[in-house]
């Protein structure tokens, strides 16, 4: 997508001079996607008199989660949707959270429901995500949507892996026959990412905490997706020359002068000269997550009125690409 090469944004050390990996500009892609969503929200309202509504629930005061949910609300408004925020205290019981979800499930003004994770320890996240009505489960984490992805049926796809897949398809086109390695096996990113790549015809390996030699598995990959939360885990000897590298990790680290900066799970300065394409952190996968959440909310609103616009606009199997 971007004409910029990784060497223009790497730290500028001499060994990076002339490095060739092109940067995958997730920020620009997400901006385009949000614009398209805003246009479609307007057209949807004109056709049906319905404004898509997204409810976001946060339990507790985790500072990072507070920033995420506020950004979600802001972006929801920006594309012309309605945002309903529920900020609940840390002491909220599982029963009262489930009661709120029941109310949101029945509310016709709400088309999408997201409960921000992680939840406080006394609340079972599986019980909560499965309480969300499948057609409002815009995170795609409940067992119905997860099962649909597993069996290759149309459903709602988790936002971060969906964003990664959109970037990959826009960069590489047809993914059939490519070797893909996903590092990290979470329900939120790693597992759905692997299934999406499998459904696209890739040969997929998944590495996790017990994998004996993740570097060797990674070196086989034409597509390497990394989602572990371990900053700088992936070094240059993990990467096949020319591979497309998608870095989902976001860790905030302190820098000199009391400031902070974001880094990924991939050692960017080492890997960028070897990779064919790479997502930066920040500005790669991060902006895609909220853009895809908005896409999923529009899709849920369309499903609520039986609108086939997804199909009409060329979306394969209602996938909101
Ligand atoms: N916490 C971090 N990422 C996510 C996400 O994509 N969805 C939810 N619900 N919580 C998160």
């Amino acid at each position: 997508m971007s004409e910029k090469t990784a060497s223009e944004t790497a730290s500028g050390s001499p060994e990076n001079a002339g490095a060739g990996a092109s940067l995958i500009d997730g920020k620009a892609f997400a901006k385009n996607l949000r614009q398209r969503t805003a246009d479609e929200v307007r057209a949807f309202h004109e056709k049906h008199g319905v404004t898509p509504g997204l409810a976001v629930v946060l339990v507790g005061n985790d500072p990072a989660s507070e920033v995420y949910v506020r950004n979600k609300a802001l972006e929801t408004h920006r594309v012309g949707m309605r945002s309903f925020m529920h900020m609940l205290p840390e002491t909220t019981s599982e029963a009262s959270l489930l009661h709120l979800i029941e109310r949101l499930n029945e509310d016709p003004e709400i088309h999408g429901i997201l409960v921000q994770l992680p939840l406080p320890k006394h609340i079972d996240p599986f019980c909560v995500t499965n309480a969300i009505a499948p057609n409002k489960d815009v995170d795609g984490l409940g067992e119905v949507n997860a099962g649909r992805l597993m069996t290759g049926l149309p459903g709602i796809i988790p936002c971060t892996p969906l964003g990664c897949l959109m970037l990959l398809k826009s960069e590489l086109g047809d993914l059939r026959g490519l070797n893909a390695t996903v590092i990290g096996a979470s329900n939120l990113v790693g597992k759905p990412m692997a299934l999406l790549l499998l459904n696209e015809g890739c040969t997929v390996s998944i590495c996790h905490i017990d994998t004996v030699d993740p570097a060797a598995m990674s070196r086989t990959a034409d597509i390497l997706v990394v989602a572990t939360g371990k900053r700088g885990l992936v070094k240059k000897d993990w990467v096949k020359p020319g591979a497309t590298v998608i870095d989902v990790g976001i860790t905030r680290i302190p820098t000199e002068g009391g400031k902070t900066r974001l880094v990924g799970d991939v050692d960017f300065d080492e890997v960028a000269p070897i990779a064919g394409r790479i997502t930066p952190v920040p500005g790669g996968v991060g902006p895609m997550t909220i853009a895809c959440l908005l896409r999923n909310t529009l899709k849920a609103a369309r499903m609520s009125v039986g609108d086939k616009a997804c199909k009409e606009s060329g979306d394969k199997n209602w996938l909101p690409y």
Side-chain angles (χ1 to χ4, degrees):
M1 281 177 61
S2 166
E3 294 305 310
K4 250 193 212 171
T5 65
S7 62
E8 292 172 89
T9 52
S11 62
S13 52
E15 68 267 28
N16 282 331
S22 65
L23 277 184
I24 302 175
D25 189 347
K27 195 171 165 192
F29 194 104
K31 188 174 172 205
N32 270 335
L33 190 61
R34 286 196 307 269
Q35 185 54 56
R36 204 178 111 196
T37 304
D39 294 343
E40 290 179 27
V41 166
R42 206 173 309 111
F44 179 76
H45 183 265
E46 276 165 22
K47 187 168 171 190
H48 297 286
V50 173
T51 302
L54 172 65
V56 174
V57 182
L58 174 64
V59 184
N61 308 97
D62 176 62
S65 292
E66 281 180 357
V67 172
Y68 288 140
V69 300
R70 283 190 209 292
N71 283 340
K72 283 169 184 169
L74 203 70
E75 297 296 341
T76 305
H77 283 298
R78 281 205 183 131
V79 296
M81 297 184 188
R82 298 176 73 196
S83 164
F84 302 84
M85 296 275 281
H86 295 266
M87 312 286 266
L88 307 180
E90 178 86 22
T91 51
T92 302
S93 69
E94 185 175 294
S96 63
L97 178 57
L98 292 174
H99 184 66
L100 170 63
I101 291 171
E102 227 170 86
R103 271 180 31 224
L104 297 172
N105 280 343
E106 283 159 16
D107 186 337
E109 296 197 327
I110 305 281
H111 303 95
I113 303 168
L114 179 145
V115 177
Q116 186 68 24
L117 301 174
L119 285 163
K121 291 209 171 359
H122 63 278
I123 300 178
D124 176 358
F126 292 104
C127 183
V128 171
T129 44
N130 282 322
I132 298 170
N135 57 351
K136 296 192 179 189
D137 172 22
V138 285
D139 248 340
L141 297 178
E143 56 200 20
V144 171
N145 283 304
R148 287 182 158 262
L149 177 58
M150 170 85 188
T151 46
L153 288 170
I156 301 180
I157 295 165
C159 306
T160 301
L162 176 59
C164 294
L165 185 66
M166 286 185 191
L167 294 177
L168 283 167
K169 287 186 67 119
S170 100
E171 290 288 325
L172 302 175
D174 189 351
L175 307 183
R176 274 179 299 176
L178 296 178
N179 288 337
T181 297
V182 179
I183 310 181
S186 68
N187 289 334
L188 200 58
V189 183
K191 284 187 214 164
M193 186 76 244
L195 287 167
L196 282 171
L197 290 166
L198 182 63
N199 290 347
E200 292 292 330
C202 293
T203 302
V204 183
S205 307
I206 309 175
C207 297
H208 48 77
I209 194 83
D210 295 316
T211 299
V212 174
D213 192 350
M217 302 292 292
S218 301
R219 275 194 302 274
T220 66
D222 304 303
I223 295 171
L224 182 61
V225 181
V226 192
T228 64
K230 287 191 187 349
R231 71 176 164 106
L233 174 75
V234 172
K235 303 290 184 192
K236 64 181 173 192
D237 60 327
W238 290 47
V239 177
K240 175 172 162 179
T244 299
V245 178
I246 305 288
D247 189 352
V248 182
I250 301 179
T251 306
R252 187 169 287 283
I253 58 164
T255 55
E256 281 160 30
K259 297 201 169 140
T260 62
R261 74 183 176 100
L262 296 176
V263 294
D265 293 353
V266 175
D267 186 328
F268 185 87
D269 289 356
E270 270 200 17
V271 170
I274 292 166
R277 299 172 167 89
I278 188 166
T279 55
V281 176
V285 173
M288 292 298 292
T289 298
I290 297 185
C292 288
L293 173 65
L294 303 175
R295 242 16 247 171
N296 280 351
T297 304
L298 174 59
K299 175 175 175 163
R302 281 178 168 150
M303 289 193 291
S304 78
V305 297
D307 192 313
K308 299 282 189 288
C310 282
K311 275 187 179 166
E312 285 159 16
S313 66
D315 287 340
K316 187 182 106 190
N317 294 332
W318 285 58
L319 293 178
Y321 299 161

